[in-house]
Amino acid sequence: MTVNAKGAEMGSVGRIEPQAMHFAEPLPLTSGKQLNDYTLVYETYGTLNAARDNAVLVCHALNASHHVAGVSPAGDTGWWDNLVGPGKALDTDRFFVIGVNNPGSCFGSTGPTSRNPDPAAGGRVYGADFPVVTVEDWVDAQARLVERLGITKLAAVLGGSLGGMQALAWTLRYPERVANCVAVATAPKLSAQNIAFNEVARRAIVTDPDFHGGHYTQAGTVPKRGLRVARMIGHITYLSDDSMEAKFGRTTRGASDNGARHNYSTQDIEFQVESYLRYQGDKFSEYFDANTYLLITRALDYFDPAHAHDGDLSAAFAVARACRFLVVSFTTDWRFAPQRSREIVKALVDKAQAAREGLSS
Amino acid sequence: MTVNAKGAEMGSVGRIEPQAMHFAEPLPLTSGKQLNDYTLVYETYGTLNAARDNAVLVCHALNASHHVAGVSPAGDTGWWDNLVGPGKALDTDRFFVIGVNNPGSCFGSTGPTSRNPDPAAGGRVYGADFPVVTVEDWVDAQARLVERLGITKLAAVLGGSLGGMQALAWTLRYPERVANCVAVATAPKLSAQNIAFNEVARRAIVTDPDFHGGHYTQAGTVPKRGLRVARMIGHITYLSDDSMEAKFGRTTRGASDNGARHNYSTQDIEFQVESYLRYQGDKFSEYFDANTYLLITRALDYFDPAHAHDGDLSAAFAVARACRFLVVSFTTDWRFAPQRSREIVKALVDKAQAAREGLSS
């Protein structure tokens, strides 16, 4: 047990059992298709108060899940455990925190590795037949779950990266159901370069001979080579050039061994940064689903709430008049650098200004 | 025929036949190994004068060759044809310009696709057994060629990117044999991020099942999937975020067709930037050798002339006292941005300052 800056005791939410909620009514998707008969896996921390107004929804990014805090039955600590718990920033003595795995993911909620309920699928898993989902589709699915939990309005919705996009989308789709939005290290839309990196990662997966057009489960294979390369690309974009330089520089592996700086090999590891990337790639390929990778990066690509407002992000935010926003970024983040957060802040400030002018006119 | 800024007539060097020079004496390599019995393919444009002091060597980068200017027998225009020719910046009415394909490349000089002269290889191509080469090894090979052409001192050596590294290395290894060095869009060493991108590209190639440990020629395959992904990664790094945004933005393919913005597919092309990258990848995989890709990116990784001087680049340049330098960079280049060129300029200025102080003391 440690204490936070205010001297409050900080603790863990302890051992957490994931829960599951089944939805029989189809979820209409942005693509025009629908998701039939699906389940969402979620966790909650803290207690919903009598007024039901202390609920906070935490949205996950690419490789994360509903397991936000505490220790899972498998012994894994939640991905934002340092933020969520008694006395922590998201204080579970005050808030009822919800983590939910998005449809299309691979950690329990219905996704490409789930059985396709379509009789024509003959009991096989969805694989590549899982419908393409968007950030807005996820938010709709989350809204249904929140509703079922008896919550009319969330005290806050928050998330980082792709999770931050979901938090923003909540304020646009359900502005009356969100009091506060915390968007961390995110962007209002991907740049061409962001899309380019996603596309290369997808091509690495799709062209892996073990991918079998996305039906690798039937084929009894796993496109691990593609997943490894995809994850290596991802990890380069998660660190800025400067922070990668500070972390690895040109440090070699051999330097600490026999004194020879290089082995002169194209395939052995020479530099520490290579070792780091290979490790990250190997680890990821052991647990992540390839079709999920494709779906989630595509959802990132598509997110562009300003598009329906002729590119005017401020106009898009006009509906979110009553929501309060906290926008956070990291100078060490390269993909969603502070400049991308400033775009959001500018749009919100412009929106507030427009609203004030509207009131005074 | 067009005219340049000075009103001089600018033309093509016309149809060019590549030449080949065989070297029976082994080339000692940085790794401690040696390259036996090798051939360099080269081209020349213009005429070597009687004083033999008008020769200019152009060094190529990753995917280029000896074919710098004019039209090859196959009808291809040289990769720097806009720079080299009568009346052009590198005026072939004044200069004798040499382009040479580096050993380890795949455009005619001895490389992984050449027959391995080692009797133990049984007449097979080198493949993965081609020795690892460095920028310094290339410069040594070029120096032998230049010597055989009867040139004691080059009027200039120039190149871009990896070619620029060779130009810099010339001034360090053979300072008395270079009058001028033109280093374009290059760096004195790769950053951790640069190495990281090279490594991901190499892993994509090496883990392609068609790679067969680098002996794909014997296996009758070509690791095209890996080459495609490698080239896509490369092309992202060749453009800055801003220039990629200006060139592609979030323009979709469907936008111009039936009006629907997206097809909602993870594998089809949605955005123009995806189309561009796939095209570049496909094209590259048709002509480039995978082992050469590994070798050349490794040479990039290793280049670090300051390392032998405790990281002091200025000290490394001390030997190049008599050389004159022109350092050029592009704001649209992301991998070797102007900041990397400024490192070179700073080291050269510091060197000159140190030399002046040495003279005056």
Side-chain angles (χ1 to χ4, degrees):
Chain A
M1 178 92 34
T2 52
V3 293
N4 67 14
K6 291 181 180 170
E9 280 183 346
M10 286 164 61
S12 169
V13 297
R15 198 170 174 82
I16 294 290
E17 286 285 340
Q19 303 169 65
M21 196 178 281
H22 179 253
F23 295 82
E25 63 274 46
L27 181 74
L29 304 173
T30 312
S31 65
K33 296 189 176 172
Q34 61 184 34
L35 184 60
N36 296 317
D37 197 41
Y38 63 100
T39 296
L40 296 183
V41 170
Y42 67 102
E43 292 182 1
T44 67
Y45 325 100
T47 309
L48 187 61
N49 63 14
R52 297 180 174 275
D53 65 0
N54 71 331
V56 173
L57 177 69
V58 177
C59 306
H60 71 76
L62 197 149
N63 70 321
S65 71
H66 53 279
H67 184 42
V68 177
V71 180
S72 73
D76 296 323
T77 301
W79 55 271
W80 232 352
D81 188 75
N82 59 345
L83 198 78
V84 179
K88 293 182 181 173
L90 257 179
D91 190 346
T92 49
D93 290 338
R94 294 179 55 201
F95 294 109
F96 176 66
V97 180
I98 308 161
V100 54
N101 190 216
N102 288 325
S105 182
C106 52
F107 297 109
S109 291
T110 301
T113 59
S114 308
R115 201 185 67 86
N116 187 342
D118 184 344
R124 288 175 302 204
V125 303
Y126 275 105
D129 295 331
F130 194 86
V132 169
V133 284
T134 63
V135 169
E136 289 75 13
D137 296 335
W138 287 331
V139 167
D140 288 351
Q142 293 161 5
R144 284 188 176 183
L145 176 83
V146 166
E147 205 174 330
R148 284 262 200 102
L149 293 173
I151 298 154
T152 312
K153 185 170 187 169
L154 290 164
V157 58
L158 71 161
S161 180
L162 182 52
M165 290 179 176
Q166 293 161 55
L168 294 175
W170 259 94
T171 72
L172 304 176
R173 278 180 102 67
Y174 303 102
E176 74 291 351
R177 292 169 64 180
V178 187
N180 296 281
C181 168
V182 183
V184 181
T186 191
K189 67 183 176 198
L190 294 199
S191 69
Q193 193 186 63
N194 294 149
I195 296 172
F197 279 120
N198 281 348
E199 170 67 1
V200 180
R202 282 192 294 263
R203 295 315 291 170
I205 290 170
V206 165
T207 62
D208 184 331
D210 285 335
F211 183 69
H212 294 284
H215 294 291
Y216 41 87
T217 304
Q218 268 106 280
T221 59
V222 176
K224 286 192 183 181
R225 301 180 203 89
L227 278 167
R228 281 193 206 105
V229 168
R231 187 60 166 175
M232 291 173 84
I233 294 170
H235 266 275
I236 298 178
T237 70
Y238 303 154
L239 289 172
S240 72
D241 194 6
D242 287 347
S243 55
M244 197 171 252
E245 200 61 30
K247 192 167 177 158
F248 305 105
R250 294 178 53 84
T251 309
T252 54
R253 264 205 155 178
S256 53
D257 299 351
N258 59 6
R261 182 159 167 79
H262 296 306
N263 302 314
Y264 295 101
S265 160
T266 56
Q267 296 185 39
D268 296 346
I269 290 172
E270 291 272 31
F271 296 91
Q272 285 295 0
V273 68
E274 298 174 324
S275 171
Y276 167 80
L277 290 175
R278 288 198 200 181
Y279 172 76
Q280 296 294 347
D282 288 347
K283 201 171 63 169
F284 189 69
S285 72
E286 294 296 327
Y287 74 84
F288 208 77
D289 177 60
N291 284 312
T292 291
Y293 197 94
L294 304 183
L295 287 169
I296 296 191
T297 54
R298 234 354 167 196
L300 270 159
D301 291 355
Y302 288 139
F303 185 65
D304 185 5
H307 185 72
H309 300 268
D310 293 329
D312 185 344
L313 186 62
S314 183
F317 276 124
V319 295
R321 199 161 296 187
C323 304
R324 297 174 68 221
F325 290 82
L326 173 63
V327 180
V328 180
S329 64
F330 302 96
T331 53
T332 53
D333 186 334
W334 173 46
R335 195 177 48 155
F336 297 140
Q339 161 201 352
R340 306 309 310 274
S341 283
R342 278 187 215 109
E343 292 173 32
I344 299 167
V345 172
K346 184 182 183 308
L348 291 170
V349 170
D350 289 352
K351 174 204 65 147
Q353 176 71 18
R356 269 196 302 276
E357 284 167 7
L359 285 176
S360 63
S361 66
Chain B
M1 178 91 38
T2 52
V3 293
N4 67 14
K6 290 182 177 167
E9 279 183 346
M10 286 163 62
S12 169
V13 297
R15 198 169 174 83
I16 294 290
E17 286 285 339
Q19 304 169 66
M21 196 177 281
H22 179 252
F23 296 82
E25 63 273 47
L27 181 74
L29 303 174
T30 313
S31 65
K33 296 188 175 173
Q34 61 184 35
L35 184 59
N36 297 317
D37 197 39
Y38 63 100
T39 297
L40 296 182
V41 169
Y42 66 104
E43 292 182 1
T44 66
Y45 325 101
T47 309
L48 187 62
N49 63 14
R52 296 179 174 272
D53 64 1
N54 69 332
V56 172
L57 178 69
V58 177
C59 306
H60 71 76
L62 197 148
N63 70 320
S65 72
H66 53 277
H67 183 43
V68 178
V71 180
S72 73
D76 296 323
T77 301
W79 55 272
W80 233 351
D81 188 74
N82 59 344
L83 198 78
V84 179
K88 293 183 181 174
L90 257 179
D91 190 346
T92 49
D93 290 337
R94 293 178 55 201
F95 294 109
F96 176 67
V97 180
I98 308 162
V100 54
N101 189 217
N102 287 326
S105 182
C106 52
F107 298 109
S109 290
T110 301
T113 59
S114 308
R115 203 185 65 85
N116 186 343
D118 183 344
R124 288 175 303 206
V125 302
Y126 275 106
D129 296 331
F130 194 87
V132 169
V133 284
T134 63
V135 169
E136 288 76 12
D137 296 335
W138 287 330
V139 167
D140 288 352
Q142 292 160 6
R144 283 188 177 182
L145 176 84
V146 166
E147 205 174 330
R148 284 261 201 102
L149 293 174
I151 298 154
T152 312
K153 185 169 188 169
L154 290 165
V157 58
L158 73 160
S161 181
L162 182 53
M165 290 179 176
Q166 294 161 54
L168 294 176
W170 259 95
T171 71
L172 303 177
R173 279 181 102 67
Y174 303 102
E176 74 291 350
R177 292 170 65 179
V178 187
N180 296 281
C181 167
V182 183
V184 181
T186 191
K189 66 183 176 195
L190 293 200
S191 69
Q193 193 186 64
N194 294 149
I195 295 172
F197 279 121
N198 281 348
E199 170 67 1
V200 180
R202 282 191 295 261
R203 294 316 291 171
I205 290 171
V206 164
T207 63
D208 184 330
D210 286 334
F211 183 69
H212 294 286
H215 293 290
Y216 41 86
T217 304
Q218 269 106 281
T221 58
V222 177
K224 285 192 183 179
R225 301 181 203 89
L227 279 167
R228 281 193 206 104
V229 169
R231 187 60 167 174
M232 291 173 84
I233 294 170
H235 266 274
I236 297 179
T237 70
Y238 303 153
L239 289 173
S240 72
D241 194 6
D242 287 347
S243 55
M244 199 172 251
E245 200 61 30
K247 192 167 178 157
F248 304 105
R250 293 177 55 82
T251 309
T252 54
R253 264 205 155 177
S256 53
D257 298 351
N258 59 5
R261 181 159 168 79
H262 297 306
N263 303 314
Y264 295 101
S265 160
T266 57
Q267 296 185 40
D268 296 345
I269 289 171
E270 290 273 32
F271 297 92
Q272 285 294 0
V273 67
E274 298 174 324
S275 172
Y276 167 80
L277 290 175
R278 288 197 201 180
Y279 172 76
Q280 295 294 346
D282 288 347
K283 202 171 62 168
F284 189 69
S285 72
E286 294 296 326
Y287 74 83
F288 208 78
D289 177 60
N291 284 311
T292 291
Y293 197 94
L294 304 183
L295 287 169
I296 296 190
T297 54
R298 232 356 165 194
L300 270 159
D301 290 354
Y302 288 140
F303 186 66
D304 185 6
H307 185 73
H309 300 267
D310 293 328
D312 184 345
L313 187 62
S314 183
F317 276 125
V319 294
R321 198 161 298 188
C323 303
R324 296 174 68 222
F325 290 83
L326 173 63
V327 180
V328 179
S329 64
F330 302 96
T331 53
T332 52
D333 186 333
W334 174 45
R335 195 175 50 155
F336 297 140
Q339 160 200 353
R340 306 307 312 274
S341 283
R342 279 188 214 109
E343 293 173 30
I344 300 167
V345 171
K346 184 182 184 306
L348 292 169
V349 170
D350 288 351
K351 174 204 66 152
Q353 176 69 18
R356 270 195 303 275
E357 284 168 6
L359 285 175
S360 64
S361 66

